[in-house]
Amino acid sequence: MPKSSSTDEFTLPDSLSKAKPKVGLILGSGLGPFVDRVKCDAPVGYADIGGLPMSKVPGHSGTLHCGKLGGVEVAVAKGRVHCYEGWTAKEASSLVRLFHQMGVKVIVLTNAAGIVNANFKPGKWMLLSDHINFTGLSPLTGSSTFIDQSEVYSKPLRCLFREMAQELGLPLPAEGVYAWMNGPEYETPAEVKMLRSLGADAVGMSTVPEAIQARALGMEIVAMSCLTNYGAGLSGIPLSHDEVMEVGAKASSQLVDLLEKCVPQMV
Ligand code: HPA
């Protein structure tokens, strides 16, 4: 029998009813291989979770992996939907509400992003210190929820990630400001220049609706961008989705090591 109560937004299959994840992770483009490190019984397809939106792109429908990482119960979502596919910002943040329903208190958001600050390098990670929402969209639209956003991304968790990266001998992730653009087209060179002049370090098409939703639900957030490419106009090389996926996949093993060390200390 599927598990749900009258207040639950999502209907969970039996296989998930006993999962009590403390940390929830949402993986961005190219970061899927991370799930291989999670000791997971059997992934659950998003199609088996009632109420969860699914990408219409073939092969991108998404799976939820509940299991243990570094001894801590986690839920890892591989695949998310985006507003550029036609979903609302509320729909694009559904995984966060699913995690909240399952009891998650701390959330890790990852994404692939383009570089706007030319001091940063492709293949490196950036911890989000803040964001700028250039879409005008919000998952809270219609709710009159006036949440504080002075520290969306937890400072103590950012410190933890940097300390642990140092202990592991990994390159220290930079910190920076992520600009949310709707997409799906990549930016023009003029837009990349504008984003930089307004204080952004990286640009992408996800994460911000999830972060706003998670803050509204009182969760702690850490978010990381895999810097997959220079933004348009910074390198002269045309942007390609294949390149974004390839660089993301290569950088994913570093993130796996870092998360395995950080997750047990996040709860
Ligand atoms: N722009 C927007 N989104 C992205 C990019 C980019 O250059 N790279 C990866 N996701």
Side-chain angles (χ1 to χ4, degrees), residues 185-247:
E185 69 285 357
Y186 291 118
E187 300 69 36
T188 64
E191 284 166 342
V192 169
K193 258 190 209 156
M194 173 199 74
L195 295 174
R196 182 66 193 137
S197 72
L198 293 176
D201 296 296
V203 56
M205 306 174 195
S206 68
T207 303
V208 170
E210 295 155 342
I212 296 170
Q213 178 66 85
R215 280 315 287 153
L217 292 169
M219 293 162 139
E220 288 291 297
I221 308 167
V222 61
M224 291 189 86
S225 290
C226 177
L227 304 172
T228 51
N229 56 280
Y230 283 112
L234 290 185
S235 76
I237 304 167
L239 272 56
S240 94
H241 183 59
D242 290 347
E243 183 200 349
V244 166
M245 298 292 282
E246 203 183 301
V247 178

Side-chain angles (χ1 to χ4, degrees), residues 23-26 80 105-111 126-129 152-162 173 175 207 211 214-215 219-225 255 258-259 262-263 266:
V23 180
L25 300 96
I26 300 178
R80 50 154 71 98
K105 300 272 188 293
V106 188
I107 195 155
V108 181
L109 305 171
T110 69
N111 61 51
M126 183 187 92
L127 277 161
L128 273 64
S129 56
V152 175
Y153 305 96
S154 160
K155 221 171 189 170
L157 289 181
R158 272 184 269 151
C159 285
L160 172 71
F161 270 61
R162 287 169 63 83
E175 291 201 18
T207 303
R215 280 315 287 153
M219 293 162 139
E220 288 291 297
I221 308 167
V222 61
M224 291 189 86
S225 290
L255 179 73
L258 186 55
L259 286 176
C262 291
V263 163
M266 290 169 72

